[in-house]
Amino acid sequence: MKTEVDVKRIRMFISNIPSILYILILFYIPIVILLAISFTPPRKFIVEWVFTLENYVNVFTNPNYYRILLNTFWIVIVATIMLIIIGFPIAYYLARMNRRLGAKILYFLIIPVEINYLIRVYAWKVILGENGFLNLLLISLGIIEKPLTIFFYSWVAVVIVLIHEWLPYVIVPFYVNLVGISDEIYDAAMDLGATRLQIFRTITLPLVKPAILTIVFLVTIPSLGEFAIPYLVGGQSGIMLGVLIDRYLSGFQLAIGAALSFFLLVITLILSMIMIKIFGYEALYTR
Amino acid sequence: MSKDIVLRVVDIWKRFGQVEALKGVSLDVYRGELLVLLGPSGSGKSTLLRIIAGLEYPTSGKIYIDGEDITDLPPYKRDTSMIFQHLALFPHMTVYDNVAYGLKIRGIPKDEIDRRVDEVLELVRIRHLKDRKVTQLSGGQQQRVAIARSLILHPKILLLDEPLGALDLKLRKELHIELRRIHQEVGNTWIFVTHDQEEALTLADRIGVMNDGKLIQIGDKWDVYEQPKTRFVAEFIGETNIFECRVVEVYGDRVYAEWRGLKLGVKTDREVKPGESMYLSVRPEYIGLSKDKPSNEGYNIFHGMITDEVFRGSYVMYSIKLDNGEMVKVTVLSKDAEYDPGDEIYLYWRVDKGVPLKE
Amino acid sequence: MVKYDRLIRLVLSGYTIFTIAFFIYLPIAVIYIYSVNDTPYFIPEWRGFTLEWFMAAFRRRDLINSLYNSVLIAIFVTAVSMAIAIPPSFYIVRSRGRIKNIFLLYMMIPFVIPWIIIGISSYIFYWYIGMPKSLLTAALSHIVYSIPLVVTLLAPRLYTMDPDIENASMDLGADPIQTFRYIVFPQIFPAMLSAAVITFAWSFDNFIISYYTLGDELTWPVWVFSILGKVPRIMPVINAVSVIIITVSSIALYIVVKKGLVRLI
């Protein structure tokens, strides 16, 4: 009996070796190299294997990095909050008020995702750009005289495009979560004397917490490393960490690029750990 | 028990789209009683309960609590509280928070909430679990939380919608005793919905049998068991033998009927005429067995052969093939079950134990 | 009470339809319109209908090549990551305790960090070991993310599977391979197909990891990026290709969902 269990365990262990090795060689080892290079002096085109903290000192003292870092957080936080505000009522409507439509509309939410987001970014330019539809509309309505440039090449544009990119990824987890709460729970709260508002505050909101966790993993964390959107539409006020990292890498200043990358990695890991502390390990793979 | 009516349900109809869920149900519920609404799934019993709770509104009809018309009141303005089929405990809260929910919502001061939570948890005997998450509790403990959560509001009427359905038999039997104890200690009115006739007989003071959107029979549980009005009630509550027969002779309340070539004596208060057909229900436990031909007056006596026996713990059920080819079920206490399949046997029952039914 | 209900419903339904139609679908409409607008520029003006851009798309070798490369990588990534990720999915669902939690964390970290970090660390890694960047290096780096992706897609479905069914199969004399072939596989097939579709779509569409790990051969998103803003005349061609992609993939998605092969959620 015992040997049977052992055989099973060994078989399970062996079958997991490919995944362990793969992630080790192509993820953890590269990360270690990245970390090592981040401790070398900032040189162009070459890596000089001398230990220094220069890059990290730079990250924390250079006001330019500082500004970009804050900007990155600002944009991502604003986008996440806006996404939740915009997405939740839609999910709520589909899950609790019109479930038949809900199942169908999910399909229509997925279709736009099939177009690469870079192309969608560019389409936004026709709408939000200096000679775009929005300006044209505002001028013809007499609200403004000259085209506004704040819609494009600004942090506002980055937020708008981020919202457009991620909205389906916010609605779906909320929807799944809300559909999973049985009607009986709402009936019970009502029966115990809660009004609509009280039910929302004491039952609905606490129960959609898992969806918020999914959204942080699915939306917020990837957005922190966003490079193409700020690069294409961000202009000066919409610059983000990803753009900065790319600037150093394409200039082949690996050490600074590596330090900034590792910094970003640590930030996102801290964020993940906080999430895991709140929701438990299972949060990593259950939705 | 004084017959003081607390809840009056008058001619309730409920339609969901094309489906008539309730077809004119009227019902009086007495203060302090434990009424069980019994019926198969889809009979409308849960819908009736939800209408009483205010979670659904009737298409027509009225509901009164203590004489006051509450038909259009929302659930939170009614003096009723419901225990749901799947309990509907709030999964993100502790036992304390679940139980305190109704009071917190009403803005009751914290120290009073604490006192009343302790009190009600004491009543259902789970005070030691106060700070546990409800998801960590066993099925039976969750039941107690659900009961406490409702009882803390001192509802005039507690509505229970098959809350024990998901539990295993042993736990259910334990909780039946607990529920009766709690009902007696609290003293308010309970309406319990179930499809399990055994549960109904265990719990109820009175039983109301529902089928197809109608209340078919309501009364003291013994009356419903012993004097079922229809074939449906007879077959739904307990085991029974149904004899399809035809009236031959009538002498006052004494009737003789013909059943597949055998002659049956029946006692009935109903007006019957020779030639009309009749269903007769005889409970298996009211039929006696004997190897020798009994000679009692006022009994129906037939001869047959035992074809099968099933041991059910405290009693044994025999299947008997009568001389006319029909099968009859008979139960005998295990200590008296001295017969074997193949035995020739006489069976007999007192004439007044056969209940004539309306179809 | 009931009136109040209706009002909320009305407001929310209006809001939902408005947001989906005028926000989510707005850029999609723009792409559709400019794929047939007879002007190479994104100007707010209708210059007449043309199918020129669709024709032009088929004439561009670099474009066709990039699409071919994307499909190639996506197939490779999907196949390899499915094969590698099935055992850890089972392991995570079937076991308990510290080692499992450590393993889970180990597998999931690539999943919960921004893709740019996978891109950059791979970029430096290939440079460090002197491996020339190519379609292969890009695919290898995609798999770093798609392994945990497949695990997150499979594990929740495996949760609902009763291990006793496998035990019953073994009890009836099937060996582990037969059990997998006849018992486990048919049960997890729908989940695997969904996971494969999502992994394929993700890899096909991924820009940032490819951007740092590709050589001279480009994938579709990277090719688009190289064109965007720099060669404005090609934009309508990109629009035309997008229209083809969205149309084909929507129909395919509709069919597999209708047939119940893939569940959207």
Side-chain angles (χ1 to χ4, degrees), chain C residues 169-218:
Chain C
S169 159
M170 308 255 215
D171 181 63
L172 293 168
D175 63 38
I177 291 168
Q178 287 169 323
T179 301
F180 186 84
R181 165 80 183 76
Y182 295 111
I183 305 298
V184 179
F185 183 74
Q187 283 190 76
I188 63 171
F189 180 71
M192 278 177 64
L193 196 64
S194 310
V197 169
I198 291 168
T199 306
F200 183 94
W202 173 81
S203 171
F204 182 86
D205 227 27
N206 179 275
F207 161 70
I208 198 124
I209 296 177
S210 306
Y211 175 71
Y212 286 110
T213 51
L214 277 175
D216 296 332
E217 286 284 320
L218 301 184

Short mmCIF file of all heavy atoms in Angstrom, two decimals, chain C residues 169-218:
data_model
loop_
_atom_site.label_atom_id
_atom_site.label_comp_id
_atom_site.label_asym_id
_atom_site.label_seq_id
_atom_site.Cartn_x
_atom_site.Cartn_y
_atom_site.Cartn_z
N SER C 169 -11.10 3.59 -12.43
CA SER C 169 -10.53 3.11 -13.68
C SER C 169 -9.35 2.17 -13.43
O SER C 169 -9.25 1.10 -14.01
CB SER C 169 -10.09 4.29 -14.53
OG SER C 169 -9.16 3.90 -15.49
N MET C 170 -8.47 2.59 -12.51
CA MET C 170 -7.31 1.76 -12.16
C MET C 170 -7.76 0.46 -11.53
O MET C 170 -7.22 -0.60 -11.79
CB MET C 170 -6.41 2.50 -11.18
CG MET C 170 -6.04 3.88 -11.67
SD MET C 170 -4.36 3.99 -12.26
CE MET C 170 -3.95 5.63 -11.76
N ASP C 171 -8.80 0.58 -10.69
CA ASP C 171 -9.34 -0.59 -10.01
C ASP C 171 -9.88 -1.60 -11.02
O ASP C 171 -9.84 -2.79 -10.80
CB ASP C 171 -10.45 -0.12 -9.06
CG ASP C 171 -11.04 -1.27 -8.29
OD1 ASP C 171 -10.30 -1.88 -7.52
OD2 ASP C 171 -12.24 -1.55 -8.48
N LEU C 172 -10.40 -1.07 -12.14
CA LEU C 172 -10.94 -1.95 -13.17
C LEU C 172 -9.84 -2.47 -14.09
O LEU C 172 -10.14 -3.13 -15.08
CB LEU C 172 -12.00 -1.21 -13.99
CG LEU C 172 -13.27 -0.85 -13.21
CD1 LEU C 172 -14.11 0.12 -13.99
CD2 LEU C 172 -14.05 -2.09 -12.86
N GLY C 173 -8.58 -2.13 -13.78
CA GLY C 173 -7.48 -2.75 -14.48
C GLY C 173 -6.77 -1.88 -15.50
O GLY C 173 -5.89 -2.36 -16.20
N ALA C 174 -7.15 -0.60 -15.59
CA ALA C 174 -6.47 0.26 -16.56
C ALA C 174 -5.17 0.77 -15.95
O ALA C 174 -5.11 1.08 -14.76
CB ALA C 174 -7.37 1.43 -16.93
N ASP C 175 -4.10 0.85 -16.78
CA ASP C 175 -2.86 1.43 -16.26
C ASP C 175 -2.98 2.95 -16.34
O ASP C 175 -3.92 3.49 -16.92
CB ASP C 175 -1.65 0.90 -17.02
CG ASP C 175 -1.68 1.28 -18.48
OD1 ASP C 175 -2.10 2.41 -18.79
OD2 ASP C 175 -1.28 0.45 -19.32
N PRO C 176 -2.03 3.68 -15.72
CA PRO C 176 -2.16 5.15 -15.67
C PRO C 176 -2.30 5.78 -17.05
O PRO C 176 -3.06 6.73 -17.23
CB PRO C 176 -0.85 5.59 -15.00
CG PRO C 176 -0.43 4.43 -14.20
CD PRO C 176 -0.89 3.21 -14.93
N ILE C 177 -1.59 5.25 -18.03
CA ILE C 177 -1.67 5.85 -19.36
C ILE C 177 -3.04 5.62 -19.98
O ILE C 177 -3.65 6.54 -20.53
CB ILE C 177 -0.54 5.29 -20.27
CG1 ILE C 177 0.79 5.84 -19.75
CG2 ILE C 177 -0.76 5.71 -21.72
CD1 ILE C 177 2.00 5.18 -20.35
N GLN C 178 -3.55 4.39 -19.85
CA GLN C 178 -4.90 4.12 -20.35
C GLN C 178 -5.93 4.97 -19.62
O GLN C 178 -6.87 5.47 -20.22
CB GLN C 178 -5.25 2.63 -20.16
CG GLN C 178 -4.52 1.73 -21.14
CD GLN C 178 -4.67 0.28 -20.74
OE1 GLN C 178 -4.67 -0.07 -19.56
NE2 GLN C 178 -4.80 -0.57 -21.75
N THR C 179 -5.73 5.11 -18.29
CA THR C 179 -6.65 5.91 -17.51
C THR C 179 -6.68 7.35 -18.02
O THR C 179 -7.73 7.95 -18.19
CB THR C 179 -6.25 5.90 -16.02
OG1 THR C 179 -6.27 4.57 -15.58
CG2 THR C 179 -7.20 6.73 -15.19
N PHE C 180 -5.48 7.88 -18.30
CA PHE C 180 -5.44 9.24 -18.82
C PHE C 180 -6.13 9.32 -20.17
O PHE C 180 -6.95 10.19 -20.42
CB PHE C 180 -3.99 9.72 -18.95
CG PHE C 180 -3.91 11.17 -19.34
CD1 PHE C 180 -3.99 12.17 -18.39
CD2 PHE C 180 -3.79 11.54 -20.68
CE1 PHE C 180 -3.95 13.50 -18.75
CE2 PHE C 180 -3.75 12.87 -21.04
CZ PHE C 180 -3.83 13.86 -20.07
N ARG C 181 -5.80 8.33 -21.01
CA ARG C 181 -6.32 8.34 -22.39
C ARG C 181 -7.85 8.23 -22.42
O ARG C 181 -8.52 8.96 -23.14
CB ARG C 181 -5.67 7.18 -23.14
CG ARG C 181 -6.30 6.77 -24.44
CD ARG C 181 -5.87 7.69 -25.57
NE ARG C 181 -6.56 7.32 -26.81
CZ ARG C 181 -7.81 7.59 -27.08
NH1 ARG C 181 -8.55 8.24 -26.19
NH2 ARG C 181 -8.37 7.23 -28.21
N TYR C 182 -8.41 7.31 -21.62
CA TYR C 182 -9.84 7.02 -21.72
C TYR C 182 -10.70 7.75 -20.69
O TYR C 182 -11.89 7.93 -20.89
CB TYR C 182 -10.09 5.52 -21.60
CG TYR C 182 -9.48 4.75 -22.74
CD1 TYR C 182 -8.38 3.91 -22.55
CD2 TYR C 182 -9.99 4.89 -24.03
CE1 TYR C 182 -7.83 3.23 -23.61
CE2 TYR C 182 -9.43 4.21 -25.09
CZ TYR C 182 -8.35 3.39 -24.89
OH TYR C 182 -7.80 2.73 -25.94
N ILE C 183 -10.13 8.13 -19.57
CA ILE C 183 -10.94 8.69 -18.49
C ILE C 183 -10.66 10.18 -18.29
O ILE C 183 -11.55 11.01 -18.37
CB ILE C 183 -10.69 7.93 -17.15
CG1 ILE C 183 -10.93 6.45 -17.34
CG2 ILE C 183 -11.55 8.51 -16.04
CD1 ILE C 183 -12.34 6.07 -17.73
N VAL C 184 -9.40 10.50 -18.04
CA VAL C 184 -9.06 11.87 -17.70
C VAL C 184 -9.19 12.79 -18.91
O VAL C 184 -9.84 13.83 -18.85
CB VAL C 184 -7.62 11.94 -17.12
CG1 VAL C 184 -7.27 13.38 -16.78
CG2 VAL C 184 -7.52 11.07 -15.89
N PHE C 185 -8.58 12.37 -20.01
CA PHE C 185 -8.54 13.23 -21.18
C PHE C 185 -9.94 13.66 -21.67
O PHE C 185 -10.17 14.85 -21.88
CB PHE C 185 -7.75 12.55 -22.31
CG PHE C 185 -7.60 13.40 -23.52
CD1 PHE C 185 -6.72 14.47 -23.52
CD2 PHE C 185 -8.36 13.16 -24.65
CE1 PHE C 185 -6.60 15.27 -24.63
CE2 PHE C 185 -8.24 13.96 -25.76
CZ PHE C 185 -7.36 15.02 -25.77
N PRO C 186 -10.88 12.71 -21.84
CA PRO C 186 -12.21 13.16 -22.29
C PRO C 186 -12.84 14.16 -21.34
O PRO C 186 -13.57 15.05 -21.76
CB PRO C 186 -13.02 11.86 -22.34
CG PRO C 186 -12.02 10.78 -22.44
CD PRO C 186 -10.81 11.26 -21.71
N GLN C 187 -12.54 14.01 -20.04
CA GLN C 187 -13.15 14.93 -19.07
C GLN C 187 -12.56 16.32 -19.15
O GLN C 187 -13.25 17.31 -18.97
CB GLN C 187 -12.96 14.40 -17.66
CG GLN C 187 -13.89 13.29 -17.30
CD GLN C 187 -13.81 12.99 -15.83
OE1 GLN C 187 -14.33 13.72 -15.01
NE2 GLN C 187 -13.10 11.93 -15.49
N ILE C 188 -11.22 16.40 -19.37
CA ILE C 188 -10.61 17.73 -19.35
C ILE C 188 -10.50 18.31 -20.75
O ILE C 188 -10.04 19.43 -20.91
CB ILE C 188 -9.23 17.73 -18.65
CG1 ILE C 188 -8.24 16.86 -19.41
CG2 ILE C 188 -9.33 17.32 -17.21
CD1 ILE C 188 -6.81 17.01 -18.90
N PHE C 189 -10.96 17.56 -21.77
CA PHE C 189 -10.81 18.05 -23.13
C PHE C 189 -11.41 19.44 -23.36
O PHE C 189 -10.74 20.32 -23.92
CB PHE C 189 -11.39 17.04 -24.13
CG PHE C 189 -11.26 17.49 -25.55
CD1 PHE C 189 -10.02 17.50 -26.16
CD2 PHE C 189 -12.36 17.95 -26.26
CE1 PHE C 189 -9.88 17.95 -27.47
CE2 PHE C 189 -12.23 18.40 -27.56
CZ PHE C 189 -10.99 18.39 -28.17
N PRO C 190 -12.66 19.71 -22.92
CA PRO C 190 -13.20 21.07 -23.15
C PRO C 190 -12.34 22.14 -22.51
O PRO C 190 -12.07 23.18 -23.12
CB PRO C 190 -14.58 21.00 -22.51
CG PRO C 190 -14.91 19.57 -22.43
CD PRO C 190 -13.62 18.84 -22.27
N ALA C 191 -11.91 21.88 -21.27
CA ALA C 191 -11.06 22.85 -20.58
C ALA C 191 -9.74 23.03 -21.33
O ALA C 191 -9.23 24.14 -21.47
CB ALA C 191 -10.79 22.40 -19.14
N MET C 192 -9.19 21.92 -21.85
CA MET C 192 -7.93 22.00 -22.58
C MET C 192 -8.09 22.80 -23.87
O MET C 192 -7.23 23.59 -24.25
CB MET C 192 -7.41 20.60 -22.91
CG MET C 192 -6.68 19.96 -21.75
SD MET C 192 -6.17 18.29 -22.12
CE MET C 192 -5.02 18.56 -23.44
N LEU C 193 -9.22 22.58 -24.52
CA LEU C 193 -9.46 23.29 -25.77
C LEU C 193 -9.58 24.80 -25.50
O LEU C 193 -8.97 25.61 -26.20
CB LEU C 193 -10.72 22.76 -26.45
CG LEU C 193 -10.87 23.15 -27.91
CD1 LEU C 193 -9.75 22.54 -28.73
CD2 LEU C 193 -12.21 22.68 -28.44
N SER C 194 -10.34 25.15 -24.45
CA SER C 194 -10.43 26.58 -24.10
C SER C 194 -9.05 27.13 -23.81
O SER C 194 -8.69 28.21 -24.29
CB SER C 194 -11.28 26.81 -22.85
OG SER C 194 -12.48 26.16 -22.93
N ALA C 195 -8.29 26.39 -23.01
CA ALA C 195 -6.95 26.86 -22.65
C ALA C 195 -6.10 27.03 -23.90
O ALA C 195 -5.36 28.01 -24.05
CB ALA C 195 -6.30 25.88 -21.68
N ALA C 196 -6.21 26.07 -24.85
CA ALA C 196 -5.42 26.16 -26.07
C ALA C 196 -5.81 27.37 -26.90
O ALA C 196 -4.95 28.10 -27.41
CB ALA C 196 -5.59 24.88 -26.88
N VAL C 197 -7.11 27.61 -27.02
CA VAL C 197 -7.58 28.76 -27.80
C VAL C 197 -7.06 30.07 -27.19
O VAL C 197 -6.53 30.94 -27.89
CB VAL C 197 -9.13 28.78 -27.86
CG1 VAL C 197 -9.62 30.11 -28.42
CG2 VAL C 197 -9.62 27.63 -28.71
N ILE C 198 -7.19 30.17 -25.87
CA ILE C 198 -6.76 31.40 -25.21
C ILE C 198 -5.24 31.58 -25.33
O ILE C 198 -4.75 32.67 -25.61
CB ILE C 198 -7.21 31.41 -23.73
CG1 ILE C 198 -8.73 31.53 -23.69
CG2 ILE C 198 -6.56 32.55 -22.96
CD1 ILE C 198 -9.34 31.28 -22.33
N THR C 199 -4.49 30.48 -25.14
CA THR C 199 -3.03 30.56 -25.25
C THR C 199 -2.62 30.96 -26.66
O THR C 199 -1.75 31.82 -26.86
CB THR C 199 -2.39 29.20 -24.90
OG1 THR C 199 -2.88 28.81 -23.61
CG2 THR C 199 -0.89 29.30 -24.86
N PHE C 200 -3.26 30.35 -27.66
CA PHE C 200 -2.96 30.69 -29.05
C PHE C 200 -3.22 32.18 -29.29
O PHE C 200 -2.35 32.89 -29.83
CB PHE C 200 -3.83 29.85 -29.99
CG PHE C 200 -3.54 30.08 -31.44
CD1 PHE C 200 -2.65 29.28 -32.12
CD2 PHE C 200 -4.16 31.12 -32.13
CE1 PHE C 200 -2.37 29.50 -33.46
CE2 PHE C 200 -3.89 31.35 -33.47
CZ PHE C 200 -2.99 30.54 -34.13
N ALA C 201 -4.38 32.65 -28.86
CA ALA C 201 -4.74 34.06 -29.09
C ALA C 201 -3.76 34.98 -28.38
O ALA C 201 -3.32 35.99 -28.94
CB ALA C 201 -6.16 34.32 -28.60
N TRP C 202 -3.39 34.58 -27.15
CA TRP C 202 -2.47 35.43 -26.39
C TRP C 202 -1.12 35.52 -27.12
O TRP C 202 -0.57 36.61 -27.31
CB TRP C 202 -2.27 34.89 -24.98
CG TRP C 202 -1.20 35.63 -24.26
CD1 TRP C 202 -1.34 36.84 -23.65
CD2 TRP C 202 0.18 35.27 -24.17
NE1 TRP C 202 -0.14 37.26 -23.17
CE2 TRP C 202 0.82 36.33 -23.47
CE3 TRP C 202 0.93 34.19 -24.60
CZ2 TRP C 202 2.18 36.31 -23.20
CZ3 TRP C 202 2.29 34.17 -24.33
CH2 TRP C 202 2.90 35.23 -23.63
N SER C 203 -0.59 34.38 -27.52
CA SER C 203 0.72 34.36 -28.14
C SER C 203 0.70 35.09 -29.49
O SER C 203 1.61 35.85 -29.82
CB SER C 203 1.17 32.91 -28.34
OG SER C 203 2.33 32.85 -29.11
N PHE C 204 -0.35 34.86 -30.26
CA PHE C 204 -0.49 35.51 -31.56
C PHE C 204 -0.45 37.02 -31.39
O PHE C 204 0.11 37.74 -32.23
CB PHE C 204 -1.81 35.09 -32.21
CG PHE C 204 -2.03 35.68 -33.57
CD1 PHE C 204 -1.53 35.05 -34.70
CD2 PHE C 204 -2.74 36.86 -33.73
CE1 PHE C 204 -1.72 35.59 -35.96
CE2 PHE C 204 -2.93 37.41 -34.99
CZ PHE C 204 -2.42 36.77 -36.10
N ASP C 205 -1.04 37.49 -30.31
CA ASP C 205 -1.24 38.92 -30.13
C ASP C 205 -0.15 39.58 -29.30
O ASP C 205 -0.11 40.79 -29.19
CB ASP C 205 -2.59 39.13 -29.42
CG ASP C 205 -3.39 40.21 -30.11
OD1 ASP C 205 -3.17 40.39 -31.32
OD2 ASP C 205 -4.21 40.86 -29.45
N ASN C 206 0.73 38.78 -28.69
CA ASN C 206 1.67 39.38 -27.75
C ASN C 206 2.68 40.26 -28.48
O ASN C 206 3.31 39.87 -29.46
CB ASN C 206 2.42 38.32 -26.96
CG ASN C 206 3.39 38.96 -26.00
OD1 ASN C 206 4.52 39.28 -26.37
ND2 ASN C 206 2.95 39.20 -24.78
N PHE C 207 2.83 41.46 -27.96
CA PHE C 207 3.79 42.38 -28.57
C PHE C 207 5.07 42.44 -27.77
O PHE C 207 6.17 42.26 -28.30
CB PHE C 207 3.17 43.77 -28.68
CG PHE C 207 4.18 44.86 -28.87
CD1 PHE C 207 4.89 44.98 -30.06
CD2 PHE C 207 4.46 45.77 -27.85
CE1 PHE C 207 5.84 45.96 -30.24
CE2 PHE C 207 5.40 46.75 -28.01
CZ PHE C 207 6.10 46.85 -29.21
N ILE C 208 4.96 42.66 -26.47
CA ILE C 208 6.12 43.14 -25.74
C ILE C 208 7.21 42.08 -25.59
O ILE C 208 8.39 42.38 -25.70
CB ILE C 208 5.70 43.76 -24.39
CG1 ILE C 208 6.82 44.63 -23.84
CG2 ILE C 208 5.32 42.72 -23.39
CD1 ILE C 208 6.38 46.02 -23.58
N ILE C 209 6.81 40.82 -25.33
CA ILE C 209 7.85 39.79 -25.21
C ILE C 209 8.52 39.58 -26.56
O ILE C 209 9.75 39.53 -26.67
CB ILE C 209 7.25 38.47 -24.66
CG1 ILE C 209 6.71 38.68 -23.24
CG2 ILE C 209 8.31 37.36 -24.66
CD1 ILE C 209 6.05 37.47 -22.63
N SER C 210 7.73 39.50 -27.62
CA SER C 210 8.29 39.34 -28.97
C SER C 210 9.24 40.49 -29.31
O SER C 210 10.30 40.29 -29.91
CB SER C 210 7.17 39.30 -30.01
OG SER C 210 6.23 38.33 -29.68
N TYR C 211 8.82 41.68 -28.92
CA TYR C 211 9.59 42.88 -29.25
C TYR C 211 11.04 42.78 -28.78
O TYR C 211 11.97 43.20 -29.45
CB TYR C 211 8.88 44.08 -28.61
CG TYR C 211 9.57 45.42 -28.75
CD1 TYR C 211 9.64 46.08 -29.98
CD2 TYR C 211 10.13 46.03 -27.62
CE1 TYR C 211 10.26 47.32 -30.09
CE2 TYR C 211 10.75 47.27 -27.72
CZ TYR C 211 10.81 47.91 -28.96
OH TYR C 211 11.42 49.13 -29.06
N TYR C 212 11.24 42.17 -27.60
CA TYR C 212 12.60 42.08 -27.06
C TYR C 212 13.31 40.79 -27.46
O TYR C 212 14.50 40.65 -27.23
CB TYR C 212 12.57 42.19 -25.54
CG TYR C 212 12.32 43.59 -25.07
CD1 TYR C 212 11.12 43.95 -24.46
CD2 TYR C 212 13.28 44.59 -25.27
CE1 TYR C 212 10.89 45.24 -24.04
CE2 TYR C 212 13.03 45.90 -24.85
CZ TYR C 212 11.85 46.21 -24.25
OH TYR C 212 11.62 47.49 -23.86
N THR C 213 12.60 39.82 -28.00
CA THR C 213 13.24 38.52 -28.21
C THR C 213 13.30 38.08 -29.68
O THR C 213 13.82 37.02 -29.97
CB THR C 213 12.51 37.42 -27.40
OG1 THR C 213 11.13 37.50 -27.69
CG2 THR C 213 12.74 37.59 -25.92
N LEU C 214 12.73 38.88 -30.58
CA LEU C 214 12.75 38.50 -31.98
C LEU C 214 14.06 38.92 -32.65
O LEU C 214 14.71 39.88 -32.22
CB LEU C 214 11.59 39.16 -32.73
CG LEU C 214 10.24 38.47 -32.65
CD1 LEU C 214 9.19 39.32 -33.33
CD2 LEU C 214 10.29 37.09 -33.28
N GLY C 215 14.40 38.20 -33.73
CA GLY C 215 15.54 38.62 -34.56
C GLY C 215 15.03 39.44 -35.73
O GLY C 215 14.20 40.33 -35.56
N ASP C 216 15.52 39.09 -36.94
CA ASP C 216 15.11 39.86 -38.12
C ASP C 216 13.70 39.53 -38.57
O ASP C 216 13.00 40.37 -39.12
CB ASP C 216 16.08 39.58 -39.28
CG ASP C 216 17.48 40.06 -38.92
OD1 ASP C 216 17.58 41.01 -38.12
OD2 ASP C 216 18.46 39.48 -39.42
N GLU C 217 13.29 38.29 -38.36
CA GLU C 217 11.92 37.91 -38.71
C GLU C 217 10.97 38.49 -37.68
O GLU C 217 11.15 38.29 -36.48
CB GLU C 217 11.80 36.37 -38.71
CG GLU C 217 12.46 35.71 -39.89
CD GLU C 217 11.63 35.86 -41.16
OE1 GLU C 217 10.39 35.75 -41.06
OE2 GLU C 217 12.22 36.12 -42.23
N LEU C 218 9.92 39.20 -38.16
CA LEU C 218 9.01 39.84 -37.23
C LEU C 218 7.69 39.08 -37.14
O LEU C 218 7.29 38.39 -38.07
CB LEU C 218 8.72 41.28 -37.67
CG LEU C 218 9.93 42.20 -37.80
CD1 LEU C 218 9.49 43.61 -38.15
CD2 LEU C 218 10.76 42.20 -36.52
#
